[in-house]
Amino acid sequence: MTSATCPCPSLGAPEVSMASPTSTNPAHAHFESILQAQLCQDVLSSFQGLCRALGLEPGGGLPQYHKIKAQLNYWSAKSLWAKLDKRASQPVYQQGQACTSTKCLVVGAGPCGLRAAVELAMLGARVVLVEKRTKFSRHNVLHLWPFTIHDLRALGAKKFYGRFCTGSLDHISIRQLQLLLLKVALLLGVEIHWGVTFTGLQPPPRKGSGWRAQLQPSPPAQLANYEFDVLISAAGGKFVPEGFTVREMRGKLAIGITANFVNRRTVEETQVPEISGVARIYNQSFFQSLLKATGIDLENIVYYKDDTHYFVMTAKKQCLLRLGVLRQDWPETDRLLGSANVVPEALQRFARAAADFATHGKLGKLEFAQDAHGRPDVSAFDFTSMMRAESSARVQEKHGARLLLGLVGDCLVEPFWPLGTGVARGFLAAFDAAWMVKRWAEGAGPLEVLAERESLYQLLSQTSPENMHRNVAQYGLDPASRYPNLNLRAVTPSQVRDLYDVEAKEPVRRVSDKTDSGKPATGSVATQEELLHWCQEQTAGYPGVHVTNLSSSWADGLALCALVHRLRPGLLEPSELQGVGALEATSWALKMAEHELGITPVLSAQAMVAGNDPLGLIAYLSHFHSAFKSTPHNPGPVSQGSPGTASAVLFLGKLQRTLQRTRVQGNGEDAGGKKPRVEVEAETPSTEEPPVPEPDVPVTPASQYQEASAEDLCALCGEHLYILERLCANGRFFHRSCFRCHICEATLWPSGYGQHPGDGHFYCLQHLPQPGHKEDSSDRGPESQDLPIHSENNMPSRPSIPVAPQEGTSPVPSQPTRRLIRLSSPERQRLSSLHLTPDPEMEAPPKPPRSCSVLARQALEGSFVGWGMPVQSPQVLVAVEKEEEEESPCSSDEEAEEDVPLDSDTEQVLWNLAKNSGTMNSYPTWRRTLLRRAKEEEMKRFCKAQAIQRRQNEIEAALRELEAKGTELELALRSRGSSPEQQKALWLEQLLQLVQKKNSLVAEEAELMITVQELNLEEKQWQLDQELRTYMNQEEALKTAADQQAEDEVLRKLVDVVNQRDALIRFQEERRLSELPSGPGPQG
């Protein structure tokens, strides 16, 4: 066995000394050295010394492990053997006899390759691992899911690395993870070769021979002649064995920056809290403050404390250019982030400033750790596109010799780093690959093995801690122990025939991801004739409406009014259109379709009346058809919950108009002389001004639809707008690429922007100038967002807080019937500080207090009762804690780190007690468990936000592709060439298909923004809750008038956020109910 001995680079922290045990046995000394080794050289040399002392040859498989265990039976080794034996005793391994005749080659000593090698060794297979590197040098830190923490503990992680996941930590550096897995693999008899690069497969030259590997540089004869029947590739995303197809998933340009600083482990450093993840998508105020203080513009940032202080963040390109980190702006990503275009000193200043701000300067002088080349460990990388293999396994056969190939790690799926899923899903893939090898060794047919493996692969991208089995202690090699509702026949053998090659010929294929263009369109796209027939059905029976074509029949506006009335009766009676001009009627219909149906305009009223844009009209009407085609043709209103209805688009449109009215009123502008209204929820017909004109008042066209040919030119750049490029906002048409924030040039999402009345520019909410404030003092960010809610008379009463009436107002009388807020369990935890749900058996509440401070104190004192639950006294917790200690005595510090299993009720009580300052310090086990749960919730929210942002970027990239294709088709259709009519009809059908795909993407984008609103409100409520508690902890006698006023304001904001969340929950619940099948049935 060859082994390079290049040491890993120093981290700037003192190395752990090789302590020798008191025993004089040299094997004991070598074993202790293995346990404590922190460098690759030390691990390898100590293991070789151990084998020499015991008279063993390294790489001898499980028999080697049993020999080592038999000769090392002193106390320090026994605790490790007990753990490994417990894992190996699981029935699936068949006492190490499951794969004794199987020979495996594992390529790559990353965490996933080593984890797969460990599993294969426990199955009894002979395992050889080759790694091109000669040292472990990656400091970057990996987030661990609960099951990975438990899995590594079961392999003796605490024995090798004493700081592993202590307290509430849930992460580990890559090099530390590789080191502990390397130690386990060596002890289990895995044969490891360093500095050896796998370059390809060498097929058997004749019958009776086997598959070999092509390796560089020239390997020793034993390795060069090694024949194997299983190849597991874990060599990273840049190397995938021949025959596999790799799909590229592209998004918008995304630039990540990682930085590792020396961790001196001082007391001050240990007290700096980590940042599990903060994202602009729900905490814009933090990034606004960062931008003002440093000039740095980020999308997110994470800070973990391990061997180093590790920071990772996503930076905006314009910011990197402005601060001189990038020399020039190149369209090619490789050139943009190439070493020649990145200024190292500027990148270091950038990373140091961001890290210093995020930690409030409490880490002191930040000194970079050194990377593998002795340079400061800071780098910029591109994660715009990620690779994903279309299949996870193949079988190749030649001269009767079969080879099973499997992928794990980054060469299977490149992880999206902000989600923290890389190592967790990598371990799951390693388990699934080992299970596949076990089935292969049992004699299952190649197609059956491949079908099972692909069935598991379909689950991988969907896995999360929430949708896997809760009991992580039961996880094992058997997929049924990890995945609930498992179906190993989801893929049939007939579907994987192309993965079974008799001859290996095909090279690796890379294709663009075509499945990323959004949710599949429902149903087939209508042809021009089908669209016309549908419009005729919907408008039949209306006086004066005769639809015979998709152009001139719509010029008088009556047909469009009839279509809107058919879908939303009650907005306007057809008789009221008598005497109304074509332009006025068309303007009204366009506005009502947008405000009440969520159908955004594609062309102006002038173009529709003039009939000079038939393609635009067809595209516009096709949106009606795709949204409402399943609606039965009968009288009566159409439910907004009908399949295809853009209810999320509609809800966000209402939200956007509410924000605009709020800003207009805040600027003191005339709001039409009418009392300001609050938008009703999305599923209710809008009462926005003017919903229904009075019978004697003609319909007044909105000025926004009167500009001639407004849809032909972009309102910002003045260039021509093609149909699929048109984005309508505030009645004007834009390119999506032009509709960006005036300051930061970020893409503006639905409900996430505002137009400043002074300069007319559009801004993201972070940079939108606030009324009456200078621009540099505007840091309210998402607080300026208000969801459409019911008026005060319809405010829900549970949970509710009686707020003291302000001057000049009268109290609002309570209503006899009110609606309930619907909260999930996590939402209850977040809202628990308000104690808004009374116990039904409690006596009637007292009269509302006169001041908000009294009210808040009552709410906070009551919060310890939880949601109608009596609080367990500290004496009860002491008893529980003692009982736990008696039932499960800890034999080591490692066992004490295990979390306490909690049911939801107990966890709620503990959360309430934890809010009482100092209460939980006396119960370290409970406290540690709660802290870890809190970090998991924080990470969960961060991952959710990053998944949304990634999908938004993918949607934007997909829309750009659709726009390019649509422009080409539109130019062909509008040309005056002599193309046959059949060809033009085909082009038109293709254009309609693109329009429907675009509408589907826009609807999905709106759904994502609804989730963004949820995250925003959740974050705002958490911050307000913390701020309110700060005031509540003050003595009443010491509070100043300013403190009292600030406390009252915080409480009012908190109540407002609760009301907004209530509106959002009602919107989602009513939409869910509307999607249920009609008719009697059990109520959920």
Side-chain angles (χ1 to χ4, degrees), residues 751-995:
S751 81
Y753 68 90
Q755 184 179 19
H756 191 262
D759 56 24
H761 293 302
F762 291 93
Y763 299 86
C764 66
L765 295 181
Q766 179 180 353
H767 296 117
L768 179 65
Q770 300 298 319
H773 293 77
K774 294 182 180 180
E775 185 177 334
D776 60 356
S777 65
S778 168
D779 60 357
R780 291 177 58 200
E783 290 188 12
S784 60
Q785 298 190 47
D786 296 309
L787 287 175
I789 61 176
H790 280 291
S791 63
E792 292 180 351
N793 289 340
N794 292 324
M795 199 68 72
S797 62
R798 186 188 183 212
S800 63
I801 292 183
V803 180
Q806 304 176 16
E807 283 189 54
T809 63
S810 59
V812 179
S814 60
Q815 300 299 308
T817 57
R818 300 186 180 186
R819 302 183 59 183
L820 298 178
I821 189 170
R822 300 173 177 86
L823 300 172
S824 62
S825 180
E827 287 168 330
R828 288 190 172 187
Q829 293 177 16
R830 290 296 187 191
L831 281 167
S832 62
S833 62
L834 294 179
H835 185 51
L836 300 177
T837 304
D839 190 319
E841 297 181 1
M842 294 173 65
E843 59 185 46
K847 294 181 180 180
R850 294 184 178 182
S851 69
C852 287
S853 62
V854 177
L855 168 69
R857 180 167 292 282
Q858 290 181 357
L860 288 173
E861 289 173 353
S863 69
F864 302 122
V865 181
W867 291 76
M869 289 177 53
V871 165
Q872 297 183 27
S873 65
Q875 289 79 7
V876 176
L877 282 181
V878 170
V880 174
E881 189 104 1
K882 287 183 177 179
E883 183 180 347
E884 289 243 353
E885 294 174 357
E886 292 173 359
E887 289 182 357
S888 54
C890 297
S891 59
S892 67
D893 292 340
E894 176 178 353
E895 304 299 337
E897 294 296 334
E898 295 287 350
D899 285 350
V900 178
L902 300 177
D903 57 42
S904 59
D905 291 343
T906 304
E907 184 172 359
Q908 183 62 51
V909 171
L910 290 172
W911 274 118
N912 292 327
L913 279 171
K915 292 166 185 171
N916 190 2
S917 178
T919 301
M920 294 305 294
N921 292 335
S922 303
Y923 313 105
T925 305
W926 296 112
R927 184 175 183 275
R928 183 176 60 250
T929 301
L930 286 178
L931 287 174
R932 182 162 288 165
R933 296 289 177 87
K935 289 192 66 173
E936 289 172 3
E937 288 298 319
E938 182 182 355
M939 188 65 185
K940 200 181 303 179
R941 183 170 71 250
F942 176 72
C943 292
K944 190 174 184 180
Q946 295 313 300
I948 291 171
Q949 187 168 12
R950 175 68 188 184
R951 183 55 191 154
Q952 285 177 330
N953 293 339
E954 291 173 350
I955 288 175
E956 189 172 346
L959 285 170
R960 284 200 299 267
E961 294 180 6
L962 291 179
E963 289 171 0
K965 295 176 183 177
T967 299
E968 184 179 347
L969 285 172
E970 187 175 347
L971 286 172
L973 285 167
R974 293 185 186 276
S975 66
R976 300 183 181 277
S978 56
S979 301
E981 291 300 320
Q982 186 176 2
Q983 179 63 54
K984 289 184 177 181
L986 179 60
W987 285 341
L988 180 58
E989 185 175 349
Q990 292 173 350
L991 182 65
L992 291 178
Q993 288 177 346
L994 296 180
V995 169

Side-chain angles (χ1 to χ4, degrees), residues 200-213:
L201 287 168
Q202 182 178 329
R206 58 188 175 276
K207 193 164 185 175
S209 58
W211 292 82
R212 299 180 183 180

Side-chain angles (χ1 to χ4, degrees), residues 688-700:
E688 187 176 354
E689 309 282 352
V692 183
E694 298 296 330
D696 56 344
V697 179
V699 180
T700 304

Side-chain angles (χ1 to χ4, degrees), residues 33-152:
S33 297
I34 293 174
L35 295 183
Q36 299 178 21
Q38 291 295 297
L39 300 175
C40 297
Q41 176 186 12
D42 294 334
V43 175
L44 296 171
S45 61
S46 297
F47 183 73
Q48 290 171 352
L50 175 66
C51 290
R52 285 195 300 269
L54 299 178
L56 301 174
E57 185 69 26
L62 274 186
Q64 170 203 283
Y65 165 71
H66 292 301
K67 292 176 182 177
I68 294 176
K69 184 178 68 170
Q71 297 186 57
L72 289 179
N73 56 3
Y74 74 108
W75 65 270
S76 182
K78 282 184 176 180
S79 60
L80 178 61
W81 306 145
K83 285 191 169 294
L84 296 179
D85 286 347
K86 182 178 179 181
R87 175 80 185 192
S89 65
Q90 295 179 8
V92 69
Y93 299 110
Q94 299 175 15
Q95 297 181 345
Q97 301 298 309
C99 300
T100 51
S101 60
T102 303
K103 296 181 180 180
C104 304
L105 177 68
V106 178
V107 181
C112 298
L114 287 167
R115 190 66 189 86
V118 167
E119 286 301 309
L120 293 172
M122 285 192 169
L123 287 167
R126 182 186 177 188
V127 185
V128 175
L129 186 148
V130 293
E131 167 58 50
K132 64 181 180 181
R133 296 184 179 90
T134 57
K135 51 193 169 185
F136 296 152
S137 58
R138 290 183 289 175
H139 300 157
N140 293 356
V141 178
L142 301 172
H143 172 68
L144 301 178
W145 289 4
F147 95 84
T148 51
I149 296 175
H150 187 278
D151 176 70
L152 291 169

Side-chain angles (χ1 to χ4, degrees), residues 523-541:
S524 59
V525 179
T527 63
Q528 188 172 356
E529 292 75 16
E530 291 170 344
L531 180 60
L532 175 60
H533 179 68
W534 182 81
C535 291
Q536 288 172 336
E537 281 188 342
Q538 301 301 314
T539 59

Side-chain angles (χ1 to χ4, degrees), residues 430-442:
F431 296 158
D432 295 339
W435 174 261
M436 172 184 70
V437 174
K438 178 179 182 294
R439 298 280 292 125
W440 179 262
E442 290 173 346

Side-chain angles (χ1 to χ4, degrees), residues 107 132-133 197-199 233-242 246 334 380-382 385-388 407-415 508 510:
V107 181
K132 64 181 180 181
R133 296 184 179 90
T197 302
F198 176 86
T199 59
S233 176
K238 294 183 179 179
F239 177 80
V240 179
E242 290 186 0
V246 178
D334 292 342
F381 63 97
D382 165 48
S385 63
M386 296 177 294
M387 301 299 176
R388 175 187 175 90
L407 305 181
V408 298
D410 288 2
C411 65
L412 179 64
V413 180
E414 282 187 324
V508 175
R510 295 181 182 266

